[in-house]
Amino acid sequence: MSFTGLRALLPKHDLRALLILAAIIIIVMPLFLDIFRLNLVGKYLTYAFVALGLVLCWGLGGILSLGQGVFFGLGGYCMAMFLKLEASSPEQTAIQSTPGIPDFMDWNQLTELPWFWEPFHSLSFTLLAVIAVPALFAFIIGVAMFKRRVGGVYFAIITQAIAAILTILIIGQQGYTGGVNGITDLRTLLGWDIRTNSAQYILYFINAILLFACLLAAQVIRKSKLGRLLVAMREREDRVRFSGYDVANFKIFVFCIAAVFSAIGGAMFTLQVGFMSPSFVGIVPSIEMVIYCAVGGRLSIFGAIYGTLLVNWAKTIFSESFPELWLFAMGALFIGVVMAFPNGLADLYQSYALPWLKKQRLRLPARLGGVKTPQKTTK
Amino acid sequence: MSALNTAKKPKDFVLSIEGLTVSFDGFKAVNDLSLYVEEQEIRVIIGPNGAGKTTVLDLICGRTKATSGAITFKGQNLTKLKEHQIVQVGVGRKFQNPSIYEDLTVFENLEISFPRGRNVWGALFFRRDAEVINKVNEIASMIFLGDKLDKPAELLSHGQKQWLEIGMLLIQDPELLMLDEPVAGMSVSERKLTAELLHRITKDRSVLVVEHDMQFVEDIADRVTVLHQGKTLSEGSMERVKSDPKVIEVYLGH
């Protein structure tokens, strides 16, 4: 790509935001946090994938999904199935009545591996499935909803119902899914122990790199005509339709992209935290992920990541001291943000912090006795 | 897209509507209507409130599905097509209230309507090349917004928003342009400019206008169709229609 093309893709302020974020995540965090805290940050960052998808889907396109946990979970479960199979070799499970199958299957009187588990012996299949399964599922939901012009609140409610259904399904089919406990006791990835400190460092960085890859993909979409079309659809869907576009296809596309982002986050969650359970699939986690995005700023891809980190950091601090109050605080935070700053922290920064910083910078030479008076406009 | 078989055109009509009926729960908003628009004709539809004027436009552009009847545009049956396909065969529609994208700039508003990259991948890899920029500039100066390209559309005045939407249609280069009350809410000077604009842009296309402002109708119309209760009450030149006693009774008289 030419230099001007690159400039158009990443204007100065976006490039600066990207570099600052990269410095924080890739340099500052690993330098100043111990591995326990860093692993925690890594876990938070897996939610940032979901928030990033929501910026495209909800912020730009106006499609509010309250069921992104479904895709986070699907990605996470795909990865967990592979890891679980590796942890269930006949030698490691010799004490079971049927060795060679995951422990929870044995406890549920299953005597052979279900057919849909079989392909997850292969890592390449698993990596493909992490992307393809959620994308396909999102595509089916998207076609069913958007082609029939279901949107707005109705779509949000349906996604929420899907999140509830999937949770119930996972919990109910204990023998196949590990039930309410989820898939636990994951140990190695192709023989590489993922529970060691060094592995957690490496996974943190892989996670960070994937996050930045998704961030760039989101930026490409945002800066393309497709990104502007999403904004146009959010405002005047009919006008877009009567300008010759099949609106449903664009909605399906962005919903699938958001699903894929979420799924990558889910898979990285499983790798870093070492298990996957239905408590990351259902309604509550799905709504929490919307809150991360809302707090950070649903129109800003960078804001969503800061929002995710901040809310989770607050959650950890707060719930350590007042575990029962956390949910109320979270609800209040969401209502507060929506009422006072509908575009979140990113907007707050852009409308107040940035002008203030610029003013300070202009005043600085004058205060230092510099002869140059600030002639440049603030723009 | 199938090739347009130009040979099959019924006479020289760009648009022919035959026996068009739509009923909403038994109420016939448009009742057995027939209407023919010639090439490069400016046709104005007038009539009292509830006569079905906007509904006719909705039916043509596919927003409302007809109960019965046929709408043929350049030999193609529009009633079988979806909204975006109708646009792609060459029918453009302006809504009653200015319908623009307020969060985007004037340039971006026009660019989105540029007829290229209309599917997902096309939009993702769309490039703002010289052709697009030139076309946007050309249209923008035509609609008196040449110096406002970088402004967010929400900052435009009401009249400018109407022009912007007309511009968004022009950039699609439709063969049939449908305008729903294009001068509603405009000042006198804006009306004049709009009439001028319409005269200029209609040179190589047909235009179907719904309008209440009689002065404006006289300014632009080649022929006028008066609708009443979903049916054609009278049709012809403005002079003829104005002196038709039936029209005076139901519409112009009060």
Side-chain angles (χ1 to χ4, degrees):
Chain A
M1 197 189 284
S2 65
F3 181 72
T4 49
L6 209 64
R7 246 295 131 80
L9 178 64
L10 265 178
K12 221 170 167 187
H13 54 277
D14 282 343
L15 184 66
R16 195 171 51 206
L18 183 75
L19 290 177
I20 293 173
L21 186 66
I24 291 175
I25 291 179
I26 296 179
I27 300 169
V28 176
M29 297 274 192
L31 275 182
F32 291 97
L33 297 177
D34 59 54
I35 185 62
F36 172 73
R37 291 281 165 188
L38 189 70
N39 184 236
L40 218 51
V41 172
K43 184 175 95 174
Y44 301 160
L45 286 178
T46 63
Y47 304 137
F49 286 89
V50 185
L52 195 57
L54 279 166
V55 170
L56 295 180
C57 194
W58 179 40
L60 292 188
I63 306 160
L64 175 58
S65 164
L66 295 178
Q68 290 306 92
V70 166
F71 307 115
F72 186 81
L74 285 174
Y77 266 97
C78 284
M79 184 49 85
M81 284 161 84
F82 172 79
L83 296 174
K84 188 67 192 170
L85 283 181
E86 194 174 305
S88 311
S89 64
E91 304 83 58
Q92 281 169 305
T93 52
I95 51 163
Q96 290 177 184
S97 37
T98 315
I101 63 171
D103 47 13
F104 61 84
M105 291 184 187
D106 196 55
W107 303 332
N108 284 283
Q109 278 86 47
L110 259 67
T111 50
E112 62 177 342
L113 201 62
W115 61 268
F116 65 91
W117 274 74
E118 285 294 349
F120 286 92
H121 279 295
S122 148
L123 180 62
S124 27
F125 175 86
T126 302
L127 294 180
L128 187 74
V130 163
I131 306 286
V133 171
L136 187 68
F137 195 50
F139 182 77
I140 293 169
I141 297 173
V143 169
M145 296 293 117
F146 299 134
K147 286 283 182 191
R148 291 194 189 122
R149 305 205 180 154
V150 176
V153 182
Y154 301 100
F155 181 76
I157 291 171
I158 286 167
T159 51
Q160 201 161 63
I162 292 169
I165 291 167
L166 190 65
T167 317
I168 293 165
L169 189 75
I170 291 172
I171 294 175
Q173 299 300 313
Q174 201 170 330
Y176 300 106
T177 61
V180 73
N181 295 324
I183 300 178
T184 56
D185 201 15
L186 308 174
R187 296 167 204 160
T188 56
L189 177 76
L190 295 181
W192 176 52
D193 194 334
I194 57 170
R195 294 163 301 175
T196 62
N197 284 354
S198 66
Q200 293 200 330
Y201 266 113
I202 291 170
L203 286 171
Y204 175 85
F205 284 111
I206 293 175
N207 187 43
I209 289 165
L210 285 172
L211 183 62
F212 280 102
C214 288
L215 201 67
L216 282 177
Q219 178 75 354
V220 168
I221 292 174
R222 215 166 64 96
K223 286 284 167 189
S224 71
K225 189 176 90 167
L226 198 146
R228 296 189 287 279
L229 268 170
L230 290 173
V231 174
M233 272 162 39
R234 182 187 71 202
E235 288 189 59
R236 298 270 179 185
E237 190 175 319
D238 252 4
R239 184 65 269 167
V240 179
R241 187 171 287 131
F242 289 108
S243 298
Y245 297 95
D246 193 348
V247 168
N249 290 347
F250 291 86
K251 291 189 174 183
I252 294 167
F253 174 78
V254 74
F255 188 55
C256 287
I257 291 285
V260 167
F261 284 4
S262 307
I264 296 173
M268 287 313 297
F269 177 95
T270 302
L271 281 169
Q272 291 185 95
V273 183
F275 77 103
M276 191 50 169
S277 88
S279 58
F280 302 101
V281 174
I283 293 175
V284 175
S286 297
I287 292 179
E288 273 188 33
M289 291 167 188
V290 172
I291 296 178
Y292 305 153
C293 177
V295 169
R298 58 180 172 158
L299 295 177
S300 164
I301 53 176
F302 301 107
I305 293 171
Y306 287 114
T308 310
L309 286 175
L310 273 176
V311 175
N312 276 291
W313 175 72
K315 179 181 179 174
T316 306
I317 302 279
F318 211 81
S319 58
E320 276 169 10
S321 349
F322 315 100
E324 65 284 356
L325 282 181
W326 166 247
L327 274 179
F328 292 101
M330 184 89 140
L333 184 67
F334 187 47
I335 294 169
V337 165
V338 170
M339 304 263 294
F341 317 107
N343 292 327
L345 291 175
D347 188 45
L348 214 59
Y349 170 76
Q350 237 149 30
S351 320
Y352 300 100
L354 210 58
W356 184 81
L357 281 175
K358 275 190 178 148
K359 228 164 70 188
Q360 295 302 313
R361 201 187 301 160
L362 286 178
R363 223 184 267 161
L364 205 57
R367 213 186 284 161
L368 292 174
V371 276
K372 270 188 257 168
T373 42
Q375 289 288 332
K376 282 179 192 162
T377 58
T378 44
K379 277 185 181 174
Chain B
M1 202 65 54
S2 64
L4 305 169
N5 31 3
T6 42
K8 272 194 184 170
K9 257 191 287 181
K11 295 180 201 168
D12 273 326
F13 296 131
V14 170
L15 179 79
S16 51
I17 297 174
E18 277 160 349
L20 190 65
T21 301
V22 65
S23 75
F24 301 118
D25 295 327
F27 167 71
K28 287 182 174 166
V30 174
N31 191 356
D32 196 24
L33 176 80
S34 294
L35 185 79
Y36 302 90
V37 180
E38 284 171 20
E39 267 177 29
Q40 304 190 14
E41 177 189 352
I42 302 185
R43 172 72 63 95
V44 181
I45 303 178
I46 59 172
N49 286 330
K53 305 181 296 286
T54 298
T55 311
V56 171
L57 298 195
D58 283 345
L59 284 162
I60 297 169
C61 71
R63 202 185 200 193
T64 306
K65 289 281 162 233
T67 311
S68 65
I71 304 170
T72 316
F73 173 74
K74 295 199 307 180
Q76 268 177 305
N77 187 357
L78 293 190
T79 52
K80 296 251 161 56
L81 299 181
K82 287 188 179 156
E83 293 100 323
H84 66 277
Q85 292 169 324
I86 294 176
V87 175
Q88 287 171 2
V89 299
V91 178
R93 154 96 191 254
K94 190 202 160 301
F95 293 99
Q96 202 162 338
N97 296 315
S99 184
I100 56 166
Y101 318 123
E102 307 220 319
D103 284 349
L104 300 178
T105 64
V106 171
F107 186 99
E108 288 166 342
N109 267 274
L110 291 169
E111 183 192 50
I112 281 185
S113 306
F114 188 82
R116 194 174 76 199
R118 273 167 163 170
N119 58 34
V120 171
W121 303 113
L124 193 57
F125 298 110
F126 179 87
R127 287 183 62 104
R128 189 178 285 177
D129 54 19
E131 190 195 352
V132 177
I133 294 171
N134 290 342
K135 189 76 191 165
V136 168
N137 280 326
E138 180 198 325
I139 298 284
S141 53
M142 210 184 238
I143 55 171
F144 323 111
L145 297 175
D147 53 345
K148 303 219 163 38
L149 281 174
D150 294 327
K151 268 200 174 182
E154 62 178 334
L155 300 181
L156 298 179
S157 73
H158 179 82
Q160 289 171 330
K161 286 179 183 172
Q162 298 277 38
W163 289 336
L164 177 57
E165 200 184 348
I166 294 174
M168 288 159 70
L169 290 175
L170 284 182
I171 211 164
Q172 291 171 18
D173 199 18
E175 279 180 63
L176 175 66
L177 183 58
M178 301 197 291
L179 306 169
D180 200 346
E181 303 201 21
V183 296
M186 280 191 179
S187 67
V188 179
S189 60
E190 284 175 331
R191 272 166 208 233
K192 267 209 163 131
L193 281 172
T194 309
E196 237 175 73
L197 171 67
L198 287 189
H199 272 304
R200 237 181 316 145
I201 63 180
T202 50
K203 290 223 174 74
D204 34 16
R205 68 189 96 240
S206 316
V207 184
L208 197 56
V209 188
V210 167
E211 190 48 72
H212 274 297
D213 184 317
M214 280 308 135
Q215 184 56 50
F216 182 77
V217 174
E218 285 206 73
D219 267 1
I220 62 163
D222 292 332
R223 278 201 293 170
V224 177
T225 299
V226 186
L227 282 194
H228 181 52
Q229 294 176 345
K231 286 184 166 164
T232 310
L233 188 70
S234 179
E235 196 171 87
S237 68
M238 190 65 191
E239 279 78 54
R240 230 207 75 189
V241 166
K242 259 203 314 201
S243 53
D244 188 330
K246 281 185 295 180
V247 177
I248 294 170
E249 197 196 321
V250 305
Y251 184 50
L252 296 173
H254 50 97

